[in-house]
Amino acid sequence: MPAVDLYRPSEEHDMLRDAVRALAEAKIAPFAAAVDEEARFPQEAHDALVANDLHAVHVPEEYGGGGADALATVIVIEEVARVCASSSLIPAVNKLGSLPVILSGSEELKKRYMTPLAKGDGMFSYCLSEPDAGSDAAGMKTRAVRDGDHYVLDGVKRWITNAGESRFYTVMAVTDPSKRSKGISAFVVEEDDEGVSFGAPEKKLGIKGSPTREVYLDGVRVPADRMIGEEGTGFATAMKTLDHTRITIAAQALGIAQGALDYAKGYVRERRQFGKPIADFQGIQFMLADMAMKISAARALTYQAAAASERGDADLTYLGAAAKCFASDTAMEVTTDAVQLLGGYGYTRDYPVERMMRDAKITQIYEGTNQVQRIVMARNLLAAKEGTR
């Protein structure tokens, strides 16, 4: 039986965690409640992350980035999400939006767009979903028609995280309708390209500080050299990207869950009923133990998936889906239990656990619902050779 290869954080990873946690608690946590209440972009978090080169740590060093490995990126997202899930989408979505360029783009395209991203001169969003193409992403209708040395893009993209705040957008569009997924190509679109506009922010249950809007493409002329990879390879690039970035959603879920557990632990130590702290009651202790146990398991799986991402392992598709699915289910359970531990107080906006519970829900939905993740895992299992998993 092959050994399970868990990615154990190094001393450098531990130092990074300490630094990000200190920054998050000092510069991000104080604004988290207001960001949620006002449904506004977390500008304070953005500025703090950029000032400390933590907004896009995955960008390779040759383009001015930190060249962080997959685990370091996970740790940054996890620690920011521990205090503010909306703010954690700044580094997470910067990776999601830019990874197609890193994976499949030309060297010239990488230099053109990774350099400003690394400097903090613009965020990067990812445009795959459409009004009628969610889980069935290959059914998209956005078209890209060749016109000389340009492509003209027309269509609507929906559920685009940080739309209207980002400067750059990776857009998937159909270049050959007869080929379905093999007729989809990827392009970089800039916010100031003529014909680009944005819908009103969605009114969401959670992650209210991260704007979610439609992106409208109305005759947008994109130079042909902004195509990411070859024509017809866009969908393959999109799926390969998600194999890596589902792990960042696992990291976000992990951070939300840890934040809820940490707050609940502090509360039950202080809250007294029947003459003693409620932490002394066995029923409370059982809940805390289960919460911590599930978080530990989610962290191990997420870090294992990060190791597979860094190495490009053959089982990355399975591990990425498993980490995202398990960590997000764990986050929903843990945050719900945290609300329960605070009783009536947990149900009010005076305490952060109700926000964490609302934020946790989206991690079960975006970058592929958890039902889709289970399909991905099952297909991967069935396709694997006997004894390999």
Side-chain angles (χ1 to χ4, degrees), residues 284-314:
I284 299 295
Q285 293 173 358
F286 283 177
M287 289 180 69
L288 290 170
D290 282 343
M291 293 160 74
M293 176 176 62
K294 291 171 184 176
I295 290 172
S296 295
R299 180 170 287 112
L301 183 54
T302 300
Y303 289 7
Q304 184 183 3
S309 172
E310 188 64 27
R311 294 188 301 260
D313 288 354

Side-chain angles (χ1 to χ4, degrees), residues 3 14 38 41 82 103 132 198-199 223 281 295 300 325 337 345 360 367 370:
D14 291 338
E38 300 165 18
F41 181 73
R82 178 176 167 271
L103 292 174
D132 295 316
F198 307 98
F281 293 100
I295 290 172
C325 188
D337 283 349
Y345 293 114
E367 291 211 29
N370 282 5

Side-chain angles (χ1 to χ4, degrees), residues 187-228:
F187 302 85
V188 176
V189 172
E190 301 182 10
E191 67 170 344
D192 57 359
D193 285 337
E194 186 174 354
V196 175
S197 60
F198 307 98
E202 301 287 349
K203 297 177 181 179
K204 306 191 299 288
L205 174 71
I207 57 165
K208 293 183 177 181
S210 178
T212 304
R213 296 183 173 95
E214 288 187 327
V215 177
Y216 304 123
L217 305 163
D218 185 11
V220 179
R221 292 181 62 83
V222 175
D225 63 3
R226 281 207 233 153
M227 179 180 282
I228 302 170

Side-chain angles (χ1 to χ4, degrees), residues 35-36 42 84-90 162 206-210 252 359:
V35 163
D36 177 74
C84 181
S86 292
S87 297
S88 72
L89 285 165
I90 295 170
N162 290 340
I207 57 165
K208 293 183 177 181
S210 178
Q252 182 189 42
D359 289 342

Side-chain angles (χ1 to χ4, degrees), residues 21 30 48 59 67 101 146 237 257 269 288 318 324 332 382 387:
R21 178 167 294 193
V59 177
V101 177
R146 186 79 186 234
T237 295
R269 288 185 180 119
L288 290 170
Y318 169 83
K324 189 269 187 191
M332 199 68 244
L382 293 169

